[in-house]
Amino acid sequence: MPSATNEEHEVDEDADSGARSSGASASGVTVKPVSNAIRILRYLSQTAAPERAADIARHLQINPSTCFNILRTLVAEEVVEFSPVFKMYTVGLGLAKLANQVMTQGQRIELARPVMEDLAARYQVTMTLWRRMGLDRIVLVSSVVSPAALRIDMPPGQRLPLLMGASGRLFIGQLGWSEEETRKEFEGIHWSRPISFDTYWREVNRARKRGWAQDDGYFSNGILAIAAPVYDPAGTIAFTLSAVMIRGHYDDAGVDAIGEALRAAGTALTKTLF
């Protein structure tokens, strides 16, 4: 004989099938196990305290075995956490991550600002956040000015060819373009300081290996830029986090230290924003 959970599921499927065949609105169909799962999540979020399965079932008036099976499923999906010691359930981190995935780009940019402000203050650099726009451009979406007396101001909205700057070297590395495809695009760009394609291509490959890139005055004469990627859940670069400073302000060891700090910050933002 089917369990209560299976019976509920079968009845709901039949109702859904009947609604489709009769042309009834899907909004009139309720899948009871899904509804109960949402009620459980809402209840655990509101109580903000660990609860036993039996107490949850009693409070929500759900069949105890059905409630237990739903909780077990929610634990497997990592939106609810279970303490085997106390036999209690709480909202899991997976639910927060799920909510974060529906954030707008503007919300993500705002969440990135504290990280940018910390790096700007720590290294006395201007921090910028870039994203790819279309097939051949990148756009500056946020910036935090260095607190130093001598500062570089880069207002949001600035657009550059895809290959330009430290960020461009990261985006090109992600696209998987061949050397010849990149060379063709490269030849159409005006650089502030001369750079050969062979040098540029080596820097793209180096950036792939170490997880951050730099542009030593080629984008803008006298300016050094260092950038690291921020990935989305699909493993695609969603943003690049870039530090901009006067050339010569840091020696090679200092540049490497900033590059590694940006790489770590990019990894942290990947987890925070997505």
Side-chain angles (χ1 to χ4, degrees), residues 190-205:
H190 173 72
W191 299 89
S192 180
R193 190 162 72 95
I195 179 174
S196 69
F197 175 76
D198 290 341
T199 298
Y200 179 85
W201 189 245
R202 282 196 301 271
E203 291 181 358
V204 169
N205 288 326

Side-chain angles (χ1 to χ4, degrees), residues 16-262:
D16 191 26
S17 175
R20 288 195 300 267
S21 63
S22 64
S25 170
S27 63
V29 177
T30 299
V31 181
K32 196 169 183 180
V34 176
S35 176
N36 283 336
I38 293 172
R39 292 174 63 212
I40 289 171
L41 288 173
R42 185 180 295 119
Y43 174 72
L44 289 175
S45 298
Q46 291 172 345
T47 59
E51 294 278 348
R52 296 182 181 275
D55 295 332
I56 297 171
R58 183 175 61 255
H59 182 86
L60 298 178
Q61 297 182 341
I62 301 174
N63 178 281
S65 63
T66 299
C67 185
F68 173 76
N69 287 333
I70 293 174
L71 284 166
R72 186 168 57 181
T73 302
L74 294 175
V75 169
E77 295 295 334
E78 299 182 345
V79 293
V80 166
E81 293 183 3
F82 174 66
S83 169
V85 176
F86 299 103
K87 309 296 183 184
M88 288 185 171
Y89 297 86
T90 56
V91 171
L93 291 176
L95 186 61
K97 291 181 179 179
L98 185 63
N100 285 341
Q101 289 174 1
V102 300
M103 284 193 301
T104 65
Q105 178 179 283
Q107 289 171 321
R108 288 191 170 96
I109 291 171
E110 285 305 307
L111 284 177
R113 285 192 68 85
V115 174
M116 296 170 66
E117 290 168 353
D118 174 69
L119 290 166
R122 196 190 322 169
Y123 294 106
Q124 301 290 290
V125 297
T126 292
M127 292 299 306
T128 57
L129 192 68
W130 297 81
R131 73 171 177 86
R132 184 179 166 194
M133 185 179 69
L135 298 176
D136 60 354
R137 295 280 169 179
I138 58 176
V139 60
L140 177 60
V141 295
S142 182
S143 66
V144 174
V145 179
S146 165
L150 181 61
R151 61 186 66 185
I152 300 169
D153 188 15
M154 296 184 67
Q158 183 175 163
R159 301 178 185 183
L160 297 175
L162 183 62
L163 275 68
M164 289 289 280
S167 293
R169 288 161 172 80
L170 295 171
F171 281 111
I172 286 296
Q174 171 83 46
L175 290 177
W177 286 5
S178 68
E179 185 173 345
E180 287 307 310
E181 288 172 326
T182 308
R183 184 189 296 272
K184 183 178 179 180
E185 194 73 21
F186 177 88
E187 290 172 351
I189 295 178
H190 173 72
W191 299 89
S192 180
R193 190 162 72 95
I195 179 174
S196 69
F197 175 76
D198 290 341
T199 298
Y200 179 85
W201 189 245
R202 282 196 301 271
E203 291 181 358
V204 169
N205 288 326
R206 187 183 184 196
R208 283 194 189 104
K209 294 177 182 177
R210 66 182 178 180
W212 56 275
Q214 75 179 76
D215 179 290
D216 191 10
Y218 302 110
F219 154 61
S220 182
N221 197 18
I223 301 297
L224 173 70
I226 307 169
V230 179
Y231 293 99
D232 64 19
T236 301
I237 298 177
F239 301 96
T240 59
L241 191 64
S242 179
V244 184
M245 67 207 78
I246 303 297
R247 290 182 69 205
H249 186 70
Y250 284 96
D251 59 16
D252 289 345
V255 169
D256 288 347
I258 295 174
E260 289 301 314
L262 291 182

